[in-house]
Amino acid sequence: MMNIAQYLDSTYLKTPAQSGLSNEETLQLDKELAQEAIDNSIFAVMIRPDYVADIKKYIQERNSNVAVGTVIGFHEGTYSIDEKLEEASQAIEDGADELDFVINYSAYLKGDVVLVKEEFVKCTQLGLQNKKVVKWIIEIAALTDEQIADITRNISTWAEENFTENDLPNIFVKSSTGFYQTEGGKPNGATFEGIKIMLDNAGKLPVKAAGGVRTPEDAEKMINLGVKRIGTSSAMALIKNESSSEGY
Ligand SMILES: O=C[C@H](O)COP(=O)(O)O
């Protein structure tokens, strides 16, 4: 059994409106996530922007180096570039180490690649200037195989054109939000096929698989394929070598 904890972003991204929990209860849950991450050498916690400052403080007070990640433009990716920059700036100020942006895949699907490139360059620049890891969620469930290949290739090309060789390991392409509504029981998250297409087209950029990773076997398979990070709301089940039907 490989040690998968160091690959994991242990994730809780439901808003109080989605979960029915209060703000306080959500923060409490995020603290539990952080404590589990500290106790089990999990790489990062991935939480909503509203909770970043408190969770960063919680982790720092415990002298841990668990990273704090948050999501920007979540979960539909249709925020304007300025809104994404503003949300990311606030998250940086609050102490986030990693910024997972949802790319404007709706604009991409409408053919507005110019806008998508502009948001990629500006938002990535902001993150890297502040020494943050930046990830771009492409929402593979919304795309055909050809589109997954194309958008991944585009991101890789834009990264190589606009950033240095040293920056590239800090710019991830990420598969899914885990929140996309699919029809007919289709998986809404990371599929092996989708991840393979991303890996084949990401060039020097690392790939993060996220969404629906529920068993240690699937996590190991993703890692063996070549992903550098896995986002999951079932982190503890994976570490304890259990399966989980549903995450947090
Ligand atoms: O970004 C990560 C995903 O939201 C995690 O998805 P999941 O809840 O299906 O594990």
Side-chain angles (χ1 to χ4, degrees):
M1 187 67 204
M2 85 176 37
N3 178 4
I4 55 176
Q6 273 301 304
Y7 288 87
L8 298 183
D9 289 353
S10 179
T11 300
Y12 184 72
L13 294 172
K14 286 187 190 135
T15 60
Q18 288 163 335
S19 64
L21 300 179
S22 67
N23 257 323
E24 291 68 32
E25 288 166 331
T26 305
L27 178 59
Q28 187 51 37
L29 218 155
D30 285 349
K31 284 185 181 169
E32 285 165 26
L33 208 69
Q35 191 58 52
E36 286 171 357
I38 294 167
D39 293 342
N40 292 281
S41 303
I42 290 174
F43 190 85
V45 286
M46 180 62 53
I47 54 173
R48 285 271 177 179
D50 286 351
Y51 307 96
V52 166
D54 284 322
I55 296 305
K56 182 72 181 180
K57 185 163 170 269
Y58 182 92
I59 290 172
Q60 277 176 336
E61 283 172 353
R62 284 152 186 82
N63 295 318
S64 162
N65 55 8
V66 167
V68 178
T70 194
V71 287
I72 308 295
F74 206 81
H75 66 97
E76 289 160 335
T78 46
Y79 290 33
S80 71
I81 299 175
D82 283 345
E83 284 168 327
K84 283 182 181 169
L85 289 169
E86 199 181 315
E87 195 178 23
S89 300
Q90 185 61 53
I92 291 168
E93 205 179 306
D94 289 345
D97 303 296
E98 307 207 346
L99 305 169
D100 289 26
F101 291 89
V102 185
I103 211 155
N104 196 336
Y105 61 89
S106 307
Y108 166 80
L109 289 172
K110 285 185 201 135
D112 197 351
V113 182
V114 173
L115 180 141
V116 180
K117 179 178 178 182
E118 189 185 341
E119 72 165 2
F120 170 81
V121 173
K122 286 186 173 165
C123 296
T124 304
Q125 212 152 33
L126 174 72
L128 295 180
Q129 274 165 0
N130 286 281
K131 304 202 178 331
K132 307 302 174 190
V133 169
V134 170
K135 312 192 195 92
W136 284 94
I137 305 171
I138 61 173
E139 200 66 291
I140 61 173
L143 308 174
T144 64
D145 288 356
E146 290 69 29
Q147 288 164 341
I148 297 171
D150 181 63
I151 198 164
T152 305
R153 227 174 9 245
N154 272 319
I155 291 173
S156 174
T157 305
W158 300 333
E160 296 221 13
E161 282 171 0
N162 290 279
F163 303 104
T164 69
E165 190 79 12
N166 288 341
D167 289 328
L168 302 182
N170 295 320
I171 308 171
F172 282 68
V173 189
K174 170 176 169 183
S175 62
S176 322
T177 61
F179 285 74
Y180 185 76
Q181 294 295 327
T182 50
E183 282 166 20
K186 266 181 60 187
N188 75 343
T191 59
F192 295 119
E193 297 68 28
I195 292 295
K196 275 190 212 142
I197 298 171
M198 291 173 68
L199 287 161
D200 284 346
N201 290 280
K204 292 177 180 163
L205 305 187
V207 169
K208 172 176 169 180
V213 182
R214 299 269 176 272
T215 69
E217 292 75 22
D218 283 356
E220 268 196 39
K221 197 168 164 190
M222 291 288 183
I223 293 165
N224 287 333
L225 284 177
V227 307
K228 297 288 185 246
R229 205 78 74 76
I230 294 175
T232 176
S233 52
S234 305
M236 284 312 294
L238 300 196
I239 288 174
K240 287 194 269 172
N241 201 12
E242 294 164 358
S243 301
S244 120
S245 53
E246 210 186 318
Y248 261 112

